[in-house]
Amino acid sequence: MSSPLNKTITRADVRRPEVARQAGALRRFAWRLFLGGDRYAVNGVLKRRCRIRWNKLWEYSRGLAYVPWQANWKVVDFGGGATIPVYYLADQGLDVASFDIDEHLTGAARATAKRHGWKLHASTSDLTEPDARDRVADAPAPGSIDWAISFCVLEHLPRERQHRIARLLGESLRSGGHLTVTFDYSPDAPVEGALRSEADVHALIEATGLVPQEGPAFHDTGERFVLDKKYPDNRFTFGSLFLRKP
């Protein structure tokens, strides 16, 4: 890649061939869901929708484009109940376990998975609790997962819980397994738990126990956007990390 892998958002990313191909697949899948009457969630809101907004398309398509996933991989999603990347990966034949404490979204994910015959286990178990591995029956076992994903969820957690779930997901991966994470980033990001500096990002990487998939640990392009209509005065960005277990 000529551009760093671990970085903040830029509109140009969606024009890269490998990301554009994945974006096209997600757009077609979104239309299929829409025409079939299925709903999926964005920012916790569940409804029928045929369009994926550009920033979410960047986040999802880029997040899926740079991991060599394949059918039958075991995937853990943290916090993405009833979202389109969870549904898409299950539709592609991956074995997905999605953990989201929102009972409405988790119930919708179970119903949609049953309707389509997907291998999608949707759970309201809270993996951020202390000693979750011992207390949560369906928590992923150490070394059992091929890929863990979490798209813009960490910023909704206090920093201690961010690092706790990062550690658990990292421990869950098999040798050579992947972790893909995105998050709100910037000193001006409106959500309290947003990562606000490169030091915050490096601390998160350290908590996972993993290494960057390639290139530098993190690059901030310096670009900022109005990404949330609820906060029109806040210009911030998304960061993304692609990490690997040695």
Side-chain angles (χ1 to χ4, degrees):
M1 292 182 63
S2 58
S3 164
L5 185 59
N6 297 329
K7 61 187 288 294
T8 56
I9 190 171
T10 177
R11 289 179 183 270
D13 288 321
V14 182
R15 295 194 292 271
R16 296 182 65 86
E18 62 276 16
V19 180
R21 283 192 295 272
Q22 187 63 73
L26 285 174
R27 286 193 186 102
R28 290 189 293 273
F29 182 63
W31 265 106
R32 207 180 97 201
L33 292 177
F34 178 76
L35 295 174
D38 291 306
R39 301 176 298 165
Y40 65 90
V42 175
N43 296 332
V45 178
L46 185 68
K47 69 177 185 179
R48 284 184 69 199
R49 55 185 97 224
C50 60
R51 176 178 172 270
I52 306 173
R53 192 164 175 252
W54 79 268
N55 56 311
K56 301 305 288 184
L57 189 65
W58 173 92
E59 180 185 10
Y60 296 154
S61 58
R62 194 171 184 276
L64 301 181
Y66 293 116
V67 173
W69 53 268
Q70 53 192 281
N72 296 318
W73 262 24
K74 291 186 180 298
V75 179
V76 165
D77 159 73
F78 174 70
T83 57
I84 200 164
V86 168
Y87 285 177
Y88 176 76
L89 291 174
D91 187 72
Q92 294 296 302
L94 283 73
D95 187 347
V96 183
S98 179
F99 291 85
D100 194 310
I101 61 173
D102 188 312
E103 294 183 359
H104 179 56
L105 298 182
T106 300
R110 288 174 182 152
T112 304
K114 182 177 181 180
R115 186 160 56 250
H116 290 279
W118 295 333
K119 291 188 289 185
L120 170 56
H121 169 74
S123 172
T124 56
S125 296
D126 188 352
L127 297 182
T128 70
E129 291 291 332
D131 302 318
R133 185 96 61 196
D134 299 325
R135 299 168 57 184
V136 176
D138 54 355
S144 65
I145 300 301
D146 297 295
W147 187 18
I149 62 174
S150 184
F151 291 113
C152 276
V153 176
L154 294 184
E155 62 268 17
H156 300 288
L157 302 173
R159 194 74 76 217
E160 179 185 358
R161 289 189 175 233
Q162 291 180 18
H163 291 176
R164 190 181 296 154
I165 189 62
R167 188 173 303 110
L168 184 144
L169 294 177
E171 291 172 350
S172 299
L173 296 177
R174 62 167 173 80
S175 179
H178 297 266
L179 172 63
T180 303
V181 178
T182 65
F183 44 84
D184 289 7
Y185 180 86
S186 174
D188 296 324
V191 179
E192 184 176 350
L195 279 69
R196 302 191 182 279
S197 66
E198 292 191 23
D200 287 345
V201 178
H202 289 295
L204 179 67
I205 296 173
E206 184 177 357
T208 67
L210 308 176
V211 298
Q213 187 171 308
E214 66 173 60
F218 187 68
H219 171 67
D220 179 7
T221 69
E223 298 168 86
R224 301 293 186 261
F225 311 90
V226 177
L227 296 175
D228 193 327
K229 294 178 182 178
K230 293 185 295 185
Y231 304 101
D233 297 326
N234 292 80
R235 299 181 67 84
F236 61 106
T237 188
F238 293 159
S240 61
L241 291 176
F242 296 82
L243 306 176
R244 183 180 57 82
K245 191 165 189 173

